[in-house]
């Protein structure tokens, strides 16, 4: 996944995508302590990402997505914007 996947960066978020054969989109999250120090903040970011993904899952193609956080100053809208990129058709 990390070697063959297509990478996109939106602010402090990196999205790594790779087509899958299961027929629906799947999400993986990487929120390291190095980027987000507090456990409450890490869990909040994970919760926001899962919810944003859940709302878009039916519009997404059959891909595996790894959402990797690099910056600590993230908001709900940053995660929404990153996942909205995936819902757009690829040029």
């Amino acid at each position: 996944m990390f070697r063959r996947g297509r990478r996109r960066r939106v602010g402090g978020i990196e999205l790594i995508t790779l087509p899958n054969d299961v027929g629906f989109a799947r999400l993986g999250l990487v929120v390291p302590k190095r980027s987000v120090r507090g456990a409450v903040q890490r869990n909040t970011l994970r919760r926001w990402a899962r919810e944003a993904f859940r709302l878009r899952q039916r519009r997404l193609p059959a891909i595996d997505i790894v959402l990797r956080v690099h910056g600590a100053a993230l908001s709900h809208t940053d995660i929404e914007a990153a996942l909205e990129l995936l819902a757009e058709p690829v040029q």
Side-chain angles (χ1 to χ4, degrees):
M1 179 76 186
F2 287 97
R3 288 184 184 170
R4 295 181 296 137
R6 181 173 179 212
R7 295 172 187 266
R8 295 183 191 177
R9 189 113 187 214
V10 179
I13 298 173
E14 179 181 19
L15 293 168
I16 305 167
T17 59
L18 191 66
N20 68 34
D21 295 330
V22 295
F24 54 88
R26 298 184 295 186
L27 177 69
L29 300 169
V30 179
V31 186
K33 284 183 187 179
R34 190 179 326 178
S35 296
V36 184
R37 296 299 297 169
V40 172
Q41 291 172 324
R42 283 195 308 277
N43 290 333
T44 300
L45 286 174
R46 288 185 190 114
R47 204 172 315 120
W48 286 345
R50 284 192 299 266
E51 178 64 13
F53 175 76
R54 185 188 66 79
L55 294 173
R56 290 169 180 76
Q57 188 174 14
R58 296 203 188 269
R59 293 186 310 181
L60 295 172
I63 57 175
D64 291 332
I65 304 163
V66 173
L67 188 142
R68 191 176 193 180
V69 175
H70 288 283
L74 294 174
S75 68
H76 192 127
T77 55
D78 295 334
I79 295 171
E80 295 271 341
L83 287 175
E84 195 59 39
L85 272 178
L86 298 176
E88 296 173 358
V90 177
Q91 285 118 6

